[in-house]
Amino acid sequence: MKFREHILLVTILCGLVYFSGCVDHAAEGEEEEEQARLDSLAQAETEGEIFDAYIADAENGINADDVVIQDNGVRRVVWDPSTSVRVPEFNEIVSVHYVGKFTTNQIFDTTNPAVAKKSDSLNYVANGISFDDLLAKSDKTYEELLDSLNTSDGAISDPVFTLNRLYVPMAFNHQEDGTGISFSFITGFRSGLRNLMLEMELNSKGLIMIPSAVGYGTVGSSIDAEGNQGIPPNTPLIFEFELVNIRP
C-alpha cells in the first residue's frame, strides 16, 4: 500500500473511532439531562406536598385560599395584614425583618435579635438546659450568656444568635422589577419578596415558601462565617417578613 493511501486509511479509521466516541458521549449526556429533568420534577412534586402540609397545619396560621403560587413554584401569602394604609411606592426605601426557617419551623437565620435569642434559648431548654436558671446564677447579660453557650463545647447545633452580629432590618430600594433586592440572595427569595412588596402594608407580615430549585438546589449552601453547616441539598425553605419601615 502506498504511503499516502495508508495515511488516508488511518485518518478515516481514527475519524470513525472519534465519531463513535462523540455519539456515545452525546447519548450519555442526553440520558443524564433527561434523568436530571425527571429528578427535578419528582423533587418539585415532593416539595409541593411538603408545602401543602405546612399550609394545612393550623398552627402555622395560614389561610390556604390566600396563598398564591408563582410561575417558579414560590408560594407567597400576606398572613398577618396591618391596619395601616401606608403602602410602599416604587423607588422608596423599605426595611423588612426576616426569619428563615425549614419546613419543620426550625430557624436558621434572622435579622431580628429577639427571634434569634428566643430560638436559641428554647433549643437549650429542649436539650435539658434551663437557660433562665443559668442566667439567674450568672453575672453575664442575657446576650453574653447566650453567646458564651453558643461558642462552648456543649452548644446546640447551628445556633442562630451571635453577639458580634449587627441585627438590623434588611433595607432595599422598592423597584417594580425587584432589582433593588441584592442579587446575593437566592432567586426564590428575590422573586417572592419582590411580589410580596406589591401586596404588603407597613407593619404587615408576609411569608414565602421557596422550592429548592430556586433556592440552594442540589448542592446546598456552604458553612457560614459562624461555622454553621448551612442549607442541605434539595431543601425547601420558608421566609417570614415584617415590613417595619418605609421612607422616600
Side-chain angles (χ1 to χ4, degrees):
M1 181 181 294
K2 295 181 179 179
F3 178 74
R4 182 176 298 176
E5 293 174 345
H6 177 73
I7 292 296
L8 179 61
L9 179 59
V10 170
T11 302
I12 292 172
L13 289 174
C14 289
L16 289 173
V17 171
Y18 176 78
F19 177 76
S20 175
C22 288
V23 170
D24 288 344
H25 285 306
E28 290 175 2
E30 290 177 358
E31 290 177 1
E32 290 175 357
E33 288 180 3
E34 176 62 13
Q35 187 59 53
R37 187 183 72 83
L38 294 175
D39 290 344
S40 178
L41 290 175
Q43 183 66 25
E45 182 177 357
T46 298
E47 293 178 8
E49 294 172 353
I50 292 172
F51 287 144
D52 289 341
Y54 188 90
I55 293 168
D57 188 340
E59 292 188 3
N60 293 321
I62 300 172
N63 186 343
D65 294 334
D66 295 334
V67 177
V68 177
I69 303 179
Q70 302 178 178
D71 291 341
N72 61 1
V74 172
R75 288 161 166 78
R76 72 176 190 273
V77 60
V78 178
W79 62 280
D80 189 4
S82 169
T83 56
S84 170
V85 293
R86 177 72 163 96
V87 297
E89 298 179 2
F90 294 135
N91 292 321
E92 287 190 315
I93 303 300
V94 297
S95 297
V96 296
H97 268 309
Y98 70 75
V99 180
K101 307 193 295 184
F102 298 111
T103 53
T104 59
N105 280 330
Q106 176 189 345
I107 296 171
F108 61 83
D109 186 27
T110 182
T111 57
N112 190 327
V115 172
K117 289 183 284 189
K118 181 178 179 180
S119 174
D120 285 355
S121 60
L122 288 177
N123 282 334
Y124 278 112
V125 172
N127 285 6
I129 299 174
S130 176
F131 184 81
D132 288 340
D133 288 347
L134 290 177
L135 184 61
K137 299 174 184 177
S138 174
D139 58 355
K140 297 179 179 178
T141 66
Y142 186 106
E143 293 78 10
E144 289 171 342
L145 176 60
L146 190 55
D147 187 69
S148 66
L149 287 174
N150 284 346
T151 54
S152 68
D153 292 337
I156 55 175
S157 60
D158 298 324
V160 182
F161 179 77
T162 179
L163 197 59
N164 60 11
R165 174 175 174 175
L166 180 62
Y167 290 89
V168 294
M170 168 189 166
F172 60 94
N173 189 318
H174 173 50
Q175 298 183 17
E176 187 173 6
D177 59 3
T179 53
I181 303 171
S182 172
F183 281 84
S184 64
F185 291 102
I186 52 179
T187 300
F189 182 99
R190 288 187 286 109
S191 69
L193 179 56
R194 176 258 180 192
N195 287 314
L196 271 182
M197 284 298 100
L198 302 176
E199 303 165 353
M200 293 179 69
E201 298 175 345
L202 183 63
N203 299 321
S204 65
K205 295 179 182 179
L207 177 147
I208 60 175
M209 304 176 185
I210 305 175
S212 61
V214 286
Y216 290 98
T218 58
V219 178
S221 69
S222 57
I223 296 175
D224 64 19
E226 281 74 43
N228 299 321
Q229 184 57 49
I231 309 300
N234 296 319
T235 301
L237 302 174
I238 293 174
F239 279 88
E240 297 177 358
F241 298 94
E242 181 179 5
L243 180 54
V244 295
N245 193 29
I246 304 172
R247 59 183 175 85

